[in-house]
Amino acid sequence: MGGGWIDQFADAPDVLKTRPDQKTVVQAGGVAIGGEAFVTMAGPCSVETERQLMAAAEFVVRAGARVLRGGAFKPRTSPYAFQGLGLEGLKLLAKARAATGLAVVTEVMAAADAPMVAEYADILQIGSRSMENYALLEAAARTGRPILLKRGMVASVADLMRSAQCVISYGNPQVILCERGIRTFETATRNTFDVAAIAVLSAIARLPVIADPSHAAGRRELVPPLARSAVAAGADGLIVEVHPHPDEAWSDGEQSLTFDEFKAMMADLVPWCELRTQRGCSKETVA
Ligand code: PEP
Ligand code: MN
């Protein structure tokens, strides 16, 4: 790592690598993220019904996912949109974990909810809109659960690393960084997928880096090519929206993959993931 990086990201000393091969492996519900294996997290944008969540969980685990995603608390742009099932959604996620063995990642939106979400989830997701909510970062960090920290849609790489440093400073080194697309002048996609950020973060940060091609693309047909580019750029994993009937989804249906599309994407990624493993690098595990 060149000296320039260290100066530029001096606010995030515990995020930066101190040796080129230094890597935190985050352990969540029996899944290692940032280790040798590429990890796919998949599931619906929102937990809607038991039937919907169970169908998604059972399908994605068979297709090779290790972590189930699903929002019980939803940050929606419109106050009239579906806001999530709350506690009922968390209970359904725990039920899906029991049935499939998948670990569970779900968003926490309010500091006061952090202990409750941590009771049900293996990984707490901090959403893009919350990346700089420091009270929330502290409450989530203090639960001791691994944190999936999404890049804010107008946050720089340095801003993301600063927020990760906050979580670590609150005593929780188990942080996963997530590139999910940023706002630019481009309107062909929902956000602009910053694949360079993945390359930069995997070069300089010791934390695992995953990509969310669903929120970057906003359209399901763009998700597989963006996923492939994330693997090629050095991502440790993916978080992808999958729904049994995307056209009937209560949120983000346009960007959710069907079961068949998810299965095809997972097969398509195999040779890319093999190339990634061949590159190899030694890891340091967080106790
Ligand atoms: C989500 O994962 O459904 C979500 C709302 O993501 P983001 O915070 O990246 O918009
Ligand atoms: Mn979504």
Side-chain angles (χ1 to χ4, degrees):
M1 183 171 47
W5 291 119
I6 296 173
D7 294 341
Q8 195 174 347
F9 301 107
D11 288 347
D14 299 318
V15 177
L16 284 174
K17 289 177 185 176
T18 52
R19 303 185 313 273
D21 63 348
Q22 185 182 23
K23 189 83 185 260
T24 299
V25 178
V26 171
Q27 303 287 347
V31 181
I33 301 142
E36 294 300 327
F38 188 83
V39 173
T40 301
M41 310 181 183
C45 177
S46 301
V47 178
E48 299 168 4
T49 63
E50 178 165 351
R51 192 184 161 99
Q52 168 245 19
L53 187 68
M54 286 297 176
E58 278 161 11
F59 190 86
V60 301
V61 73
R62 280 201 307 273
R66 301 292 314 280
V67 181
L68 175 66
R69 66 145 290 147
F73 295 93
K74 295 306 301 176
R76 302 308 300 282
T77 311
S78 162
Y80 307 110
F82 174 58
Q83 305 292 315
L85 296 182
L87 178 58
E88 191 194 333
L90 296 177
K91 289 182 176 167
L92 290 176
L93 286 164
K95 197 164 176 179
R97 171 179 46 213
T100 59
L102 288 162
V104 163
V105 59
T106 195
E107 179 164 352
V108 56
M109 287 179 58
D113 292 340
M116 175 176 73
V117 178
E119 235 179 85
Y120 294 92
D122 300 291
I123 305 171
L124 302 192
Q125 176 175 325
I126 302 292
S128 191
R129 292 156 192 80
S130 303
M131 192 203 81
E132 292 180 295
N133 180 340
Y134 300 107
L136 176 62
L137 293 180
E138 176 170 8
R142 294 205 190 282
T143 66
R145 289 285 188 207
I147 304 296
L148 193 170
L149 181 62
K150 289 190 134 192
R151 181 181 181 183
M153 57 190 87
V154 292
S156 66
V157 167
D159 295 333
L160 173 64
M161 288 175 60
R162 252 192 305 274
S163 285
Q165 178 68 39
C166 285
V167 176
I168 297 171
S169 304
Y170 294 129
N172 189 340
Q174 299 213 93
V175 184
I176 304 158
L177 304 173
C178 180
E179 162 58 32
R180 49 78 74 203
I182 52 173
R183 284 253 163 99
T184 68
F185 55 82
E186 182 56 72
T187 54
T189 50
R190 180 175 177 181
N191 291 287
T192 295
F193 188 48
D194 186 3
V195 75
I198 297 170
V200 169
L201 288 168
S202 31
I204 67 172
R206 69 180 79 167
L207 302 174
V209 181
I210 69 164
D212 176 347
S214 308
H215 290 86
R219 298 171 63 100
R220 71 178 69 108
E221 64 268 40
L222 297 179
V223 170
L226 295 194
R228 211 182 294 142
S229 69
V231 179
D236 296 294
L238 291 174
I239 181 163
V240 183
E241 289 182 339
V242 180
H243 194 286
H245 305 288
D247 294 333
E248 292 161 29
W250 297 1
S251 60
D252 286 350
E254 337 64 69
Q255 67 194 34
S256 299
L257 299 179
T258 63
F259 287 173
D260 285 349
E261 287 165 343
F262 180 66
K263 191 172 168 190
M265 184 188 80
M266 293 296 276
D268 172 66
L269 289 176
V270 169
W272 297 82
C273 291
E274 280 169 2
L275 283 174
R276 174 188 169 277
T277 314
Q278 283 164 22
R279 247 186 9 225
C281 61
S282 65
K283 314 284 176 180
E284 179 184 279
T285 306
V286 167

